[in-house]
Amino acid sequence: NASTVGWFCGAWKDSGSNWIIACKAGTKTTSAFSASGNFTGATQSAPANVSKVSIVVMYEDNVGTASLNTDLVAQVSADAGSNYSTVTLAAAPNLTNTIKVAKSDAVAVTAGNQPKYKISFANQDAASKVTRVLGVALLY
């Protein structure tokens, strides 16, 4: 029951149910409430093998405040998600008074030309903590 919308750049669906997002823009995913879980982005195609990847995550604390690297965790891959490396997210300047940004330094990954990300969340509770991921961008 998830729906995905492109941010910053144009987005369209391919012949199946996958979203294609230009400019390596992120996605916004909403689904049924769960205290923990994860989602992955679409596999991208890099023009050459990459061995370092970083990430930028746009998110919103809808209820409570998410702790980066505990409640909101990001992992990156260059081999289509066969091997993920966990990044350390650090707060970056906010986009608005409610939309926050977290970024990572580049981390070493198993070399490949198919970058992908995985976002995990934990400790979500409708009454005390609801974190909404609004967009994700991979840098490689």
Side-chain angles (χ1 to χ4, degrees), residues 6 13 15 18 39 43 52 67 69 88 110 121:
K13 279 192 174 183
S15 59
N18 296 319
F39 63 91
T43 302
K52 288 191 173 187
S67 295
N69 308 304
T88 300
T110 301
F121 56 93

Side-chain angles (χ1 to χ4, degrees), residues 122-137:
N123 306 313
Q124 303 295 294
D125 183 294
S128 62
K129 188 179 298 178
V130 177
T131 308
R132 294 182 176 165
V133 174
L134 305 174
V136 178

Side-chain angles (χ1 to χ4, degrees), residues 34-72:
S34 179
S36 63
N38 64 70
F39 63 91
T40 59
T43 302
Q44 301 178 23
S45 294
N49 274 357
V50 294
S51 58
K52 288 191 173 187
V53 180
S54 62
I55 194 168
V56 177
V57 180
M58 221 174 33
Y59 69 100
E60 179 178 43
D61 288 321
N62 184 257
V63 176
T65 302
S67 295
L68 295 177
N69 308 304
T70 301
D71 301 325
L72 183 61

